Structure formats: C-alpha cells, structure tokens
Amino acid sequence: MSIISTLRKEGIQVQKKLDTSEVNIISERIANILCSAFPDHQLQYDNLINCISSLNMYTATFENTLVGAKYFCHKKSIFFNADININKNDMFSLHECIHFLQDSYISKTNPKSLGLYSITKDTGLGLNEAAVQLMSSKINGIPKEFKLHKTDK
C-alpha cells in the first residue's frame, strides 16, 4: 500500500512538505528540550539535531481534528495538523520525535520495533505509547497525578 493510500485511509491529507529551514528549527528546539529534560542520559545535542532533521515533515489536514501530529515509521515522516502552529507548540513535535528516536530497523526500509512495540511480533504497542506519554508529560511539566474527570476527588 502506498503512503498516500495509507494516509487517506487514516483520514490524513498532505498539504505541504516543510522546507529545510523549518525542519532545522524544529530539530534544534526538540534537541534542546530533550537534552534539558534528560541531562542524566548524556544525549548529544548535535547528534539529535542531525537525526531529527533527517525526518520528512509535512503539514496536513486530519479528519480527526483532535490529532495534533502523526509519525509514520515506514516513511520516517511526521505529519502535523495544519490547524496547529508548530512554531509555538512543541508538544506534538516532541511526542512524535520521541517515537522516531525509538525506531529500530531490520533493513533500511523494514522497521523491527518502535521502542517497546515489536512490529515483527505485534506486541507492546500500549506500553510504548505509555512510555512516550510519560516522557512527554515530564518534559511538558504535567504532574504524575492529575484528575482525569470532573468526578475525581
């Protein structure tokens, strides 16, 4: 299945590819955020920038308007909701870049795993999403304990 038909199936319509300068700005911001948030992990700022800037990044319209961004590991691409100003909101790009940084490939175009999610065994998807959510929450300053519903006391 082509990327266009896969995107269409998921309700995503590409608007435009981000130019190199836009991708570089996002890459620098995300690398800075990750290095600041996880100093004990000895992340290499320049390596993160080079890695993230290798991604294909696009703006797109989403049928599900609650989606801020979507990462496709098979094409190493992030699609950002065109209704969100990605220059003022790093939350979505950060989350999707963490997914990208977790990739492990059997070959250049054949992904093996995405963090805790084993694509070859189709296990761990929920655990991986939870791990990425936890990292994103830490970076965005969301407390570990918060109320999800109005009825929580």
Side-chain angles (χ1 to χ4, degrees):
M1 183 180 300
S2 76
I3 186 70
I4 299 299
S5 57
T6 301
L7 292 170
R8 225 180 269 133
K9 182 179 172 187
E10 297 214 14
I12 301 170
Q13 184 174 351
V14 176
Q15 285 191 336
K16 76 170 190 112
K17 185 172 184 172
L18 299 184
D19 66 39
T20 303
S21 65
E22 292 172 303
V23 171
N24 289 341
I25 290 168
I26 291 169
S27 301
E28 289 172 10
R29 283 198 325 256
I30 298 304
N32 187 43
I33 290 168
L34 289 171
C35 288
S36 297
F38 302 108
D40 297 339
H41 294 282
Q42 301 172 347
L43 299 172
Q44 301 297 314
Y45 178 76
D46 290 335
N47 290 348
L48 283 172
I49 290 172
N50 290 335
C51 189
I52 296 167
S53 65
S54 71
L55 275 165
N56 297 303
M57 297 185 192
Y58 304 86
T59 57
T61 56
F62 290 76
E63 281 181 16
N64 179 352
T65 57
L66 297 177
V67 175
K70 177 90 173 171
Y71 172 62
F72 279 91
C73 63
H74 295 284
K75 295 295 181 182
K76 295 186 182 179
S77 300
I78 296 177
F79 299 88
F80 297 104
N81 190 325
D83 293 336
I84 295 171
N85 185 340
I86 56 176
N87 295 314
K88 293 186 178 181
N89 190 336
D90 292 322
M91 182 172 56
F92 299 110
S93 50
L94 174 69
H95 181 98
E96 301 309 324
C97 284
I98 291 171
H99 280 304
F100 165 68
L101 294 169
Q102 296 177 325
D103 278 358
S104 174
Y105 283 79
I106 295 168
S107 66
K108 192 174 183 176
T109 59
N110 189 9
K112 177 176 95 174
S113 65
L114 187 60
L116 300 170
Y117 173 50
S118 172
I119 294 169
T120 54
K121 296 178 185 174
D122 196 24
T123 59
L125 181 61
L127 279 175
N128 186 63
E129 188 59 34
V132 173
Q133 289 287 353
L134 182 62
M135 287 185 271
S136 297
S137 295
K138 178 188 180 342
I139 292 166
N140 289 308
I142 299 170
K144 289 182 184 175
E145 294 182 19
F146 59 95
K147 294 181 180 179
L148 295 176
H149 305 284
K150 292 178 184 176
T151 58
D152 288 350
K153 295 183 181 188

